Amino acid sequence: MVLTKAQVASIQKNWTSVETDLQGYGNKLFLRYLEANPGDMHYFPKFANTPFGKLAYDAEFNKQTATVFEFLTQVVHHLGDIEKCNGMLRERVRTHKPREIHMAQFETLLDLMPRFLEEEAKATGATADAWRVCVATLMPAMRDEFKK
């Protein structure tokens, strides 16, 4: 699969909606992720003991979700240069691997993106499909970095 220029444009256009509220979208995605994968809370020691229903009010949770969505914004802005995106993602692997965060956590979170953006950011079906191609395009570089 190759991410086309039209798919990049579709993702970037839809992301402008997300950029209006990175914190809100970040919180919603992480809540969805953690609700489906409660065993992954231990990867987030700064808010691991916060009750699920209070996460959105936790300063550390908010800091984490904002950081992730600010990073995703940079990736989206650079989708026209896949090698740059791959470099950014490889660096993210290097910062997460020592904390024993695995490729499975990245894949699980990113697999939620297409449907999440359809439901929450009014992404079209074509944009959601573009996200699926995007994730498939970017994951090999991360997998390779995890193997090192």
Side-chain angles (χ1 to χ4, degrees):
M1 275 186 254
V2 176
L3 190 62
T4 67
K5 288 182 181 183
Q7 288 170 321
V8 168
S10 179
I11 289 169
Q12 289 174 334
K13 181 180 178 186
N14 179 251
W15 198 258
T16 61
S17 297
V18 175
E19 285 183 285
T20 66
D21 187 13
L22 291 176
Q23 188 71 70
Y25 284 103
N27 283 4
K28 286 179 183 179
L29 180 66
F30 261 76
L31 288 171
R32 189 176 290 198
Y33 169 79
L34 291 170
E35 184 174 37
N37 303 280
D40 284 0
M41 278 292 284
H42 76 277
Y43 292 115
F44 307 99
K46 291 181 180 177
F47 55 85
N49 294 320
T50 302
F52 183 81
K54 295 185 179 187
L55 282 172
Y57 307 103
D58 184 277
E60 292 298 331
F61 177 79
N62 281 286
K63 184 177 174 184
Q64 175 70 29
T65 63
T67 297
V68 169
F69 267 65
E70 287 164 5
F71 176 76
L72 286 173
T73 297
Q74 292 306 309
V75 172
V76 167
H77 286 184
H78 290 95
L79 281 177
D81 183 353
I82 293 299
E83 287 309 311
K84 179 157 181 76
C85 292
N86 283 339
M88 295 166 65
L89 291 164
R90 286 177 186 276
E91 179 59 31
R92 193 59 45 158
V93 169
R94 289 190 287 274
T95 63
H96 285 63
K97 189 175 177 181
R99 294 184 281 155
E100 297 190 22
I101 296 172
H102 307 283
M103 189 65 204
Q105 281 69 49
F106 283 99
E107 288 175 334
T108 301
L109 182 67
L110 291 172
D111 283 348
L112 293 173
M113 289 294 287
R115 178 168 293 234
F116 172 79
L117 292 170
E118 276 185 296
E119 293 171 358
E120 300 292 337
K122 309 294 187 254
T124 64
T127 300
D129 287 344
W131 267 103
R132 289 178 185 93
V133 174
C134 180
V135 170
T137 300
L138 296 173
M139 290 300 96
M142 294 181 76
R143 286 188 197 101
D144 289 347
E145 193 65 30
F146 267 108
K147 290 177 185 174
K148 292 182 179 178

